Amino acid sequence: MRKLSIFYYVFFFRGNEREEKGKVMKEVKKKEKLETSIGDSRSALGALTVYLITGLFLVVGFWVVGNKYSVDLISDPSLTLRLLWSIEFPIVVIIYSLFRRNPEECSYFRAVGRSIIGLISGALINALGAVSLSAPIGMQSLPKTIHWSFLMSVFTFVPATAVFGASWTDWHRVFASLKPTGNIEYMIVIPAYGAIIGGWFGAWPMPLDWERPWQTMSDDVADGYWLTGSELGHSLT
Amino acid sequence: METPPKNNKWIAIGFLLIHSIAILIFTRGFLLTRTELPFHSTCSDVSLSPCLASSRPNHDSNFNSSSVLSNQNHPKCWTKAVVDRVIIIVLDALRIDFVAPSAFFPEAKPWMDKLTILQKLAFANDSSAKIFKAFADPPTTSLQRLKGLTTGGLPTFIDVGNSFGAPAIVEDNFINQLVLNGKRLVMMGDDTWTQLFPNQFQKSYPFPSFNVKDLDTVDNGCIEHLFPTLYKDDWDVLIAHFLGVDHAGHIYGVDSSPMIKKLEQYNSVLEKVIGILESQAGPGGLHESTMLIVMGDHGQTLNGDHGGGTPEEVETSMFAMSTKKHTASVPPEFDTSSCKQDMDGKQICISSIEQLDFAATLSALLGISFPFGSIGHVNPELYALGSSSLNLDNSDLGNFGTQSAVKEWMENYVNVLCVNAWQVKRYIDVYSNSSVVGFSSDDMSRISDLYSAAEQSWSNSVKRILMDRIGDEDSTNISPLKEQIVAYLSFFSSVVELARSKWTEFNLNLMITGFGILVISLILQFLAVFCGDKSYAVESWLSTGAAFTLFIVTIRASSFLSNSYILEEGKVANFLLATTGLIKLRYSVMRKTMQKEAVIFLAMVSVLRVSIDIGLTKQAATSQFMSSSPSWMLGIAPDLPALTYAIEIAPIVSMVILIYVLYIAIAETSSEGLWKYVTVSSMISYFLIALLWASESKIFGLDVLLQVIGGRNRIPQTVYVIGLVQLFLLASARIFGAGKDMSWAIRTVALVSACSSSVILLSGKQGSMLALAYLLAGYCIMRLEGVERTQSDGQHKFSKLNPLCVMQWSLLSICMFFASGHWCAFDGLRYGTAFVGFDEFVLIRQAILLTVETFGFSVLLSVFGLPLLIPNHSQTPQAHGKKRYQLFQMYMLYGVISATTVTATILCVTIQRRHLMVWGLFAPKFVFDVVGLILSDLLICLASAYYL
């Protein structure tokens, strides 16, 4: 839910589209039919494979973090988060760019390029959302927040930008109206919402304290919770 | 068809009554008062005790004539007086690290080692002075502590409320005993003493204590009278109570230059006092046998707050010095001192004492009967400091002399303890017989066993040893004495343990009854909201909005089970508010309307969140953070000139914006007549406030203005008067039935603006910015109210109300409470604001100001501003009646939300009543919530009388 502010963001920068809303709306309907047929061509098995690959690389990421750098979310959250998203990001980009919209108009490298922009803007919006949901602010927790936002962005924005580009109508239909059509769109929307809801639940027990020793370091762990939560959400989907 | 408005009013009043009754019953079970017994000790009582009643005849014969003579000078009451005069200098809020050397703390801080004279005396070779670490019992407010110190009992939590108007102590107490025994008392300083003891002082020089901004009046008054009095012989006990350190802490914090200046001033005062004492200490001098006690009544946190039970607040210090040389030494078994090496490698020690023992020890030192209700015991180390005169002639006999001096002291001490134990046992027996909630028989029999064991050995052996001292003079066998002392001490410690656990004993039946009534009222309220005969006004409780509201209320309610959630309640409320904001944003994107409002709402939530964070750190921050008051605005780099400039400018700019908003409100709506004038006068108030702030800050060069209009109090007083006149006008307009058909918007704007000017003024400079954030966020909530609905049914039909917006409004008001720098603890009250516009203290007036400041944003404005949330489309006349009903349901909903959280708090308090933090955290939270609930119920009554 936090991430939904992207729509405002995209909308803001593409404000001129607003005037053309009526026109666009008509086009969308045509497009939808067209794309639904493409979407359907991707089998459920393919979607599962994609999930498996991204999930696998998340595990690989944790393995690298744990064994090569011997840190974890609690001892060094920002390094862990940075490693995780930088391992995960290329995989997500490579896979989802294969499923880009209008492959004949938009080259593979263009899809990769725009997903990098998506990563950065998505990170910005995730960070804003996290701050409004009381993620710790201040210089010492800044890197943690930044890396967390990048990781969240990898799960939420990067697939969507790779597939849709900056097509506001697609974004709106899939994320805001929750009317995805076809397997690709489900492949995008389910992990994204999973990550967000997981992140929310991860943040929720943050200040909990039943006099357990591990809860004394609540602030440091806060980001860890977020991540664990979001991964849980991601892997559950 | 329409519910008559009067009926609605009665419903609101009904809930107010039910809540009050429920809370009253619960409070009676939870915040128990100790039963105060009306009995007094008298000198003759002691003959009932098994102890050596009159002064031991055999013993006295050992003394040379001078000591017999001195004995005749002091008619013995319960114990033999060992000092003639006592000077008690109370330094309010004296932290232990003000007195104890910095070697005892991990890190030397600027405020340490300032009272050098005390350290010099205490650590000198062959000194007759000692530094104690004194433990106070919470609640650590001055009145409670003075009561505890003088009665030797455990004042209970409920007495906190009396701190603003100290009532006289009716229980037997040390001061009372002094008067009964013909001692003459002189008091100077804090006027709490004269309120507690109105008739006991022969001479008193009280000075007003509640003006916390005033660091010097009380102290200067004390100093002025202290030195001349020291040369006089018309008193036996002198009490001087200095307040400067407490006030400096409240205003500037511990780590501040006024605090250090105060401490240095005290050092020089104490130096002079000790100089006078020593000059008069020779044989036959005025202060031949005087004891000086310099003590704190409680500690304080680094912010200068106190009231709770944290170590910083509870640990205070006591310095005791006898003008006699060669004081008795205490056997190592009873020595509580802890020692450290100072910088020169010298061994320095400080002892520890319970404040509970103060009354008993001083009574023993002065030879008067112990207060009836005292449960403390005579502290060996403090008692030893005064006890030297008994063995003056023996002490130069070398090693053997020391041995026998120790023995003699112990013989004396064991007899004192015997009387002491008998008195405590008598009190416990009488208490458990006469009090409604006595001690359990198990505990009583355990205590009785301990006592009778001690008494047995006393009568069988020790008493005989003491009686038969003649003959075995040389015997240095002191082990039976030691055993006897140990037996008594274990009796005392079990009594104190029992008292501590039992005087916070809860009446579970009353608590459950109160809780049950609250739950029933909740169900009734719930029915009133959702199952009324006209359920069209609020969406049915099965709708998503209502379900989500329920979800959020449940989360918030269950969060009170954890103490750290209570500490960070503001953050939790903010998190939930942000969550609702994000959901609204999602809907607004989905419907493609009002995205701007949703984003602004989130931005406002983030702004509030920053200010909540700063409010939270305020509890831990040092005084540098708070020194220039509007605390939370001083963020990262307070020394940047641009930033200071911005900090000065921002409140005034937001004030101007608020004036403009009011102007728009008048211009846009068809406001007329009375309501218009009321709103315009609010604009004038706002302008006056802006003017006041501008003239207070240095950059505008408006300092002259303050002199022109005659002092800084003129403007606040004008604002209060304007506010009162506005409220009076609005109320009378309502009574005479004018403007019934006025739209709510106009009436609400008039009422809210009338209240807000005083609230903003009291909140200080942050007030205007918070008000602006509040206004913006409230506006966004109103705009976003119906965003989930598909547009088709929103425009034509009369729309049902989404409960989520009331939930958001209530969460927002909770956030405002925390964002305006409050937290649910008594040290979170901002006493300073009670003096905005006034210099002198008047209980009712200042209490009202403090209440308005504390609950201004979170209850006052939020209840009165609720009608602003009504979506104002469809202005048809037939909608008016429906809207009136809708407004009523909104108020009911608001009531049910706040009552639910309070019920949850009460449930959690009941569950956690044995929690370590119950007095530190849960009880204050309970008090704040309960006061907030009663206040909102009351205001809901008023609001429904005004609007409906």
Side-chain angles (χ1 to χ4, degrees):
Chain A
M1 284 143 260
R2 144 178 11 92
K3 173 226 81 177
L4 287 169
S5 37
I6 180 63
F7 303 116
Y8 185 76
Y9 179 76
V10 173
F11 193 71
F12 189 75
F13 284 94
R14 297 177 58 85
N16 49 350
E17 233 179 304
R18 199 180 201 168
E19 285 98 76
E20 300 170 305
K21 198 163 60 180
K23 209 171 78 187
V24 175
M25 285 291 269
K26 279 173 204 160
E27 283 174 4
V28 170
K29 285 194 177 155
K30 275 185 220 160
K31 249 194 222 165
E32 260 177 26
K33 277 178 194 162
L34 206 110
E35 281 152 10
T36 315
S37 56
I38 301 171
D40 284 338
S41 68
R42 308 284 165 196
S43 65
L45 198 68
L48 193 66
T49 323
V50 172
Y51 285 158
L52 281 180
I53 294 171
T54 50
L56 185 73
F57 270 87
L58 201 59
V59 173
V60 169
F62 268 107
W63 181 81
V64 168
V65 168
N67 290 316
K68 299 283 172 201
Y69 293 85
S70 46
V71 291
D72 56 28
L73 279 174
I74 290 163
S75 62
D76 190 353
S78 63
L79 177 66
T80 315
L81 289 166
R82 196 185 67 199
L83 289 171
L84 282 178
W85 75 257
S86 44
I87 291 170
E88 192 73 9
F89 175 62
I91 305 303
V92 172
V93 169
I94 289 167
I95 294 174
Y96 279 92
S97 293
L98 287 174
F99 302 115
R100 67 196 179 279
R101 273 286 142 79
N102 308 333
E104 54 280 356
E105 281 171 33
C106 169
S107 72
Y108 186 82
F109 291 104
R110 205 174 150 203
V112 172
R114 70 191 182 192
S115 52
I116 292 171
I117 297 172
L119 175 74
I120 293 162
S121 49
L124 187 69
I125 283 149
N126 270 310
L128 288 178
V131 167
S132 78
L133 281 181
S134 52
I137 43 172
M139 288 320 275
Q140 74 273 33
S141 55
L142 190 66
K144 282 188 276 180
T145 311
I146 288 175
H147 292 303
W148 175 84
S149 330
F150 272 106
L151 187 66
M152 281 301 279
S153 180
V154 168
F155 291 134
T156 53
F157 275 71
V158 173
T161 34
V163 176
F164 301 135
S167 161
W168 167 242
T169 46
D170 283 329
W171 281 86
H172 186 265
R173 178 170 48 80
V174 172
F175 283 106
S177 307
L178 272 183
K179 284 174 188 148
T181 44
N183 282 335
I184 306 173
E185 289 179 4
Y186 276 110
M187 268 161 58
I188 291 167
V189 76
I190 293 175
Y193 266 94
I196 291 158
I197 293 169
W200 188 84
F201 271 106
W204 179 33
M206 191 168 74
L208 260 192
D209 177 14
W210 288 311
E211 272 99 48
R212 299 284 180 283
W214 51 270
Q215 282 165 329
T216 52
M217 40 186 181
S218 70
D219 255 17
D220 288 328
V221 183
D223 275 344
Y225 276 130
W226 281 79
L227 182 77
T228 348
S230 54
E231 261 146 31
L232 202 74
H234 186 242
S235 51
L236 277 179
T237 49
Chain B
M1 189 65 195
E2 204 175 291
T3 319
K6 266 189 183 158
N7 204 355
N8 293 343
K9 220 180 302 166
W10 287 118
I11 293 177
I13 291 174
F15 282 120
L16 170 65
L17 283 180
I18 296 177
H19 287 161
S20 314
I21 291 168
I23 286 166
L24 201 70
I25 292 176
F26 184 86
T27 311
R28 281 185 62 96
F30 178 59
L31 299 178
L32 263 197
T33 43
R34 194 169 50 96
T35 315
E36 293 185 348
L37 299 180
F39 305 109
H40 291 258
S41 304
T42 53
C43 270
S44 52
D45 293 348
V46 81
S47 58
L48 304 171
S49 80
C51 313
L52 297 175
S54 57
S55 50
R56 289 158 285 164
N58 297 340
H59 187 212
D60 268 341
S61 65
N62 287 333
F63 276 68
N64 59 24
S65 56
S66 84
S67 96
V68 172
L69 229 157
S70 85
N71 233 16
Q72 283 163 352
N73 288 344
H74 310 293
K76 183 174 142 69
C77 183
W78 283 18
T79 56
K80 188 169 174 302
V82 289
V83 293
D84 295 342
R85 313 174 101 188
V86 174
I87 300 166
I88 302 170
I89 295 182
V90 182
L91 305 178
D92 213 288
L94 191 70
R95 286 164 63 91
I96 175 70
D97 57 4
F98 288 164
V99 177
S102 51
F104 283 89
F105 304 97
E107 205 180 338
K109 290 280 170 54
W111 61 83
M112 291 180 185
D113 296 327
K114 292 292 172 220
L115 300 173
T116 46
I117 177 74
L118 300 185
Q119 296 179 4
K120 203 181 85 192
L121 282 169
F123 305 130
N125 290 327
D126 192 25
S127 85
S128 52
K130 224 170 214 170
I131 288 176
F132 293 88
K133 185 180 200 175
F135 293 95
D137 287 290
T140 47
T141 49
S142 288
L143 181 133
Q144 253 54 50
R145 284 331 308 150
L146 294 188
K147 198 171 174 185
L149 281 170
T150 52
T151 59
L154 292 167
T156 44
F157 185 78
I158 199 78
D159 296 335
V160 170
N162 297 334
S163 188
F164 265 99
I169 296 181
V170 287
E171 246 183 319
D172 193 15
N173 58 67
F174 169 59
I175 303 294
N176 197 32
Q177 286 300 330
L178 285 174
V179 175
L180 286 181
N181 285 282
K183 305 278 179 189
R184 294 154 300 172
L185 285 124
V186 177
M187 195 287 305
M188 55 199 67
D190 187 349
D191 62 354
T192 314
W193 283 93
T194 47
Q195 288 164 349
L196 288 173
F197 308 104
N199 306 316
Q200 279 90 331
F201 297 111
Q202 202 164 54
K203 255 190 217 154
S204 62
Y205 309 97
F207 297 93
S209 60
F210 273 103
N211 191 352
V212 287
K213 285 183 180 169
D214 180 357
L215 300 189
D216 293 319
T217 307
V218 177
D219 291 1
N220 291 344
C222 266
I223 294 166
E224 187 194 330
H225 293 105
L226 179 60
F227 296 127
T229 315
L230 285 178
Y231 288 108
K232 290 182 187 154
D233 61 351
D234 58 351
W235 53 268
D236 299 300
V237 174
L238 184 154
I239 296 165
H241 192 136
F242 289 78
L243 279 176
V245 163
D246 181 58
H247 287 185
H250 279 304
I251 301 287
Y252 304 102
V254 169
D255 191 4
S256 62
S257 57
M259 176 67 82
I260 287 167
K261 247 181 246 155
K262 269 283 147 200
L263 290 173
E264 280 163 354
Q265 184 197 7
Y266 287 170
N267 192 46
S268 61
V269 169
L270 290 172
E271 228 161 22
K272 210 170 157 193
V273 168
I274 289 163
I276 294 173
L277 291 186
E278 280 175 345
S279 72
Q280 307 272 330
L286 207 47
H287 295 291
E288 185 189 356
S289 171
T290 300
M291 180 165 250
L292 169 71
I293 292 177
V294 180
M295 62 187 296
D297 52 352
H298 49 73
Q300 57 178 318
T301 63
L302 287 181
N303 283 336
D305 302 322
H306 55 86
T310 61
E312 275 189 315
E313 294 161 278
V314 170
E315 288 171 14
T316 176
S317 45
M318 181 188 289
F319 165 87
M321 184 193 104
S322 164
T323 52
K324 291 176 277 192
K325 299 295 168 209
H326 315 295
T327 52
S329 55
V330 180
E333 290 90 337
F334 310 117
D335 201 343
T336 55
S337 57
S338 71
C339 294
K340 285 263 161 59
Q341 303 276 323
D342 72 352
M343 279 175 298
D344 314 327
K346 203 176 131 194
Q347 183 90 342
I348 48 175
C349 300
I350 59 172
S351 312
S352 66
I353 187 172
E354 298 269 348
Q355 280 198 347
L356 194 64
D357 302 337
F358 179 79
T361 312
L362 272 202
S363 302
L365 282 170
L366 282 164
I368 58 173
S369 39
F370 297 7
F372 189 86
S374 160
I375 53 168
H377 68 272
V378 176
N379 181 283
E381 287 158 288
L382 187 55
Y383 188 66
L385 273 184
S387 318
S388 59
S389 61
L390 293 177
N391 42 45
L392 242 179
D393 46 336
N394 284 349
S395 58
D396 44 356
L397 295 179
N399 194 30
F400 173 76
T402 329
Q403 279 288 325
S404 93
V406 167
K407 185 181 179 215
E408 199 168 309
W409 178 80
M410 276 176 60
E411 284 168 359
N412 196 35
Y413 182 59
V414 83
N415 191 41
V416 169
L417 275 191
C418 172
V419 177
N420 194 181
W422 164 79
Q423 168 260 328
V424 169
K425 180 70 170 51
R426 175 183 68 166
Y427 173 65
I428 296 289
D429 287 340
V430 173
Y431 184 86
S432 72
N433 287 336
S434 60
S435 167
V436 189
V437 200
F439 299 108
S440 76
S441 53
D442 281 0
D443 291 321
M444 278 308 289
S445 67
R446 202 183 70 237
I447 288 205
S448 298
D449 287 349
L450 277 174
Y451 181 72
S452 53
E455 204 204 319
Q456 204 101 58
S457 81
W458 167 264
S459 333
N460 290 350
S461 57
V462 179
K463 197 172 182 179
R464 208 168 313 128
I465 295 178
L466 294 182
M467 301 291 274
D468 304 343
R469 277 188 77 260
I470 285 188
D472 52 291
E473 176 87 355
D474 303 337
S475 152
T476 50
N477 179 19
I478 51 175
S479 58
L481 291 178
K482 273 185 186 165
E483 279 162 22
Q484 186 63 29
I485 292 177
V486 168
Y488 280 134
L489 289 182
S490 78
F491 163 71
F492 288 121
S493 69
S494 69
V495 167
V496 168
E497 190 193 338
L498 175 72
R500 287 221 168 99
S501 73
K502 292 296 165 175
W503 276 324
T504 56
E505 180 63 70
F506 309 106
N507 188 335
L508 211 53
N509 290 337
L510 284 181
M511 283 168 83
I512 289 172
T513 315
F515 177 71
I517 296 176
L518 258 189
V519 170
I520 291 169
S521 88
L522 261 190
I523 295 169
L524 288 178
Q525 256 178 322
F526 193 79
L527 291 179
V529 176
F530 290 110
C531 304
D533 52 340
K534 278 175 276 180
S535 51
Y536 54 75
V538 175
E539 284 179 0
S540 113
W541 62 283
L542 289 169
S543 69
T544 38
F548 192 68
T549 309
L550 213 60
F551 175 66
I552 296 226
V553 172
T554 319
I555 290 183
R556 219 179 103 65
S558 50
S559 72
F560 294 129
L561 271 174
S562 146
N563 57 359
S564 60
Y565 254 128
I566 290 179
L567 270 179
E568 310 222 334
E569 192 194 344
K571 270 170 120 176
V572 177
N574 196 265
F575 176 74
L576 295 174
L577 188 61
T579 308
T580 62
L582 287 169
I583 285 172
K584 288 284 182 185
L585 177 68
R586 180 186 172 276
Y587 277 115
S588 77
V589 171
M590 195 164 99
R591 302 269 178 254
K592 299 187 178 171
T593 49
M594 292 184 274
Q595 283 111 329
K596 211 181 285 173
E597 279 86 351
V599 172
I600 292 175
F601 181 69
L602 280 181
M604 285 304 118
V605 171
S606 309
V607 167
L608 285 183
R609 168 254 141 102
V610 171
S611 111
I612 289 172
D613 271 1
I614 295 169
L616 273 176
T617 54
K618 208 175 120 182
Q619 295 175 57
T622 58
S623 60
Q624 281 152 346
F625 212 77
M626 300 171 56
S627 53
S628 50
S629 211
S631 54
W632 60 267
M633 290 189 290
L634 307 175
I636 315 105
D639 46 346
L640 267 177
L643 198 68
T644 31
Y645 200 71
I647 286 171
E648 297 283 351
I649 283 269
I652 295 163
V653 170
S654 33
M655 214 66 224
V656 173
I657 296 173
L658 283 175
I659 295 177
Y660 180 68
V661 169
L662 276 190
Y663 173 74
I664 297 276
I666 296 178
E668 293 274 301
T669 56
S670 54
S671 178
E672 57 190 23
L674 181 72
W675 286 272
K676 191 173 176 181
Y677 295 126
V678 167
T679 317
V680 169
S681 49
S682 300
M683 287 164 70
I684 296 172
S685 290
Y686 284 3
F687 176 73
L688 285 176
I689 295 169
L691 205 64
L692 176 72
W693 289 343
S695 58
E696 273 174 356
S697 75
K698 291 174 186 72
I699 48 174
F700 297 101
L702 283 173
D703 314 14
V704 207
L705 188 83
L706 280 182
Q707 277 126 40
V708 174
I709 54 170
R712 44 185 300 129
N713 288 341
R714 205 50 64 76
I715 288 180
Q717 284 168 0
T718 318
V719 172
Y720 299 143
V721 169
I722 291 178
L724 285 178
V725 170
Q726 284 171 315
L727 290 181
F728 174 73
L729 284 178
L730 290 175
S732 51
R734 179 71 186 89
I735 289 167
F736 297 115
K740 272 216 161 178
D741 42 351
M742 274 288 178
S743 89
W744 275 304
I746 297 166
R747 284 156 63 187
T748 316
V749 165
L751 181 59
V752 169
S753 68
C755 298
S756 65
S757 52
S758 303
V759 173
I760 291 173
L761 174 67
L762 285 173
S763 302
K765 291 187 178 170
Q766 56 176 0
S768 60
M769 286 183 276
L770 285 173
L772 203 58
Y774 198 25
L775 190 70
L776 261 176
Y779 172 76
C780 294
I781 291 178
M782 187 270 280
R783 296 281 291 160
L784 290 167
E785 188 270 322
V787 77
E788 298 91 337
R789 263 176 238 121
T790 45
Q791 274 147 356
S792 55
D793 60 279
Q795 275 159 356
H796 308 297
K797 274 197 291 180
F798 172 77
S799 55
K800 288 182 178 182
L801 185 83
N802 188 348
L804 191 57
C805 76
V806 182
M807 180 73 223
Q808 280 182 310
W809 183 248
S810 134
L811 277 178
L812 181 65
S813 58
I814 292 158
C815 288
M816 289 303 294
F817 177 79
F818 291 97
S820 50
H822 299 98
W823 58 91
C824 288
F826 295 105
D827 54 8
L829 289 175
R830 303 213 307 230
Y831 295 105
T833 56
F835 294 94
V836 175
F838 300 99
D839 281 332
E840 69 279 21
F841 176 80
V842 178
L843 177 69
I844 296 174
R845 185 179 69 198
Q846 260 60 39
I848 289 175
L849 286 186
L850 194 62
T851 316
V852 169
E853 199 274 334
T854 309
F855 293 106
F857 279 115
S858 58
V859 177
L860 190 67
L861 294 187
S862 123
V863 170
F864 283 153
L866 196 63
L868 288 177
L869 290 188
I870 294 183
N872 51 2
H873 41 78
S874 74
Q875 279 289 9
T876 51
Q878 66 262 39
H880 193 77
K882 289 179 179 175
K883 270 187 161 183
R884 171 174 295 188
Y885 192 72
Q886 191 173 38
L887 183 61
F888 168 69
Q889 287 206 317
M890 277 169 87
Y891 271 117
M892 283 294 106
L893 192 61
Y894 185 88
V896 91
I897 289 170
S898 35
T900 311
T901 47
V902 175
T903 313
T905 311
I906 285 183
L907 178 67
C908 299
V909 164
T910 316
I911 293 173
Q912 305 273 34
R913 65 190 183 282
R914 292 283 172 214
H915 194 278
L916 174 72
M917 298 294 280
V918 69
W919 299 117
L921 214 61
F922 289 102
K925 166 77 187 149
F926 165 77
V927 172
F928 271 82
D929 266 17
V930 157
V931 172
L933 177 70
I934 296 291
L935 207 59
S936 13
D937 276 342
L938 190 72
L939 290 174
I940 285 174
C941 287
L942 291 179
S944 48
Y946 175 71
Y947 290 121
L948 296 177

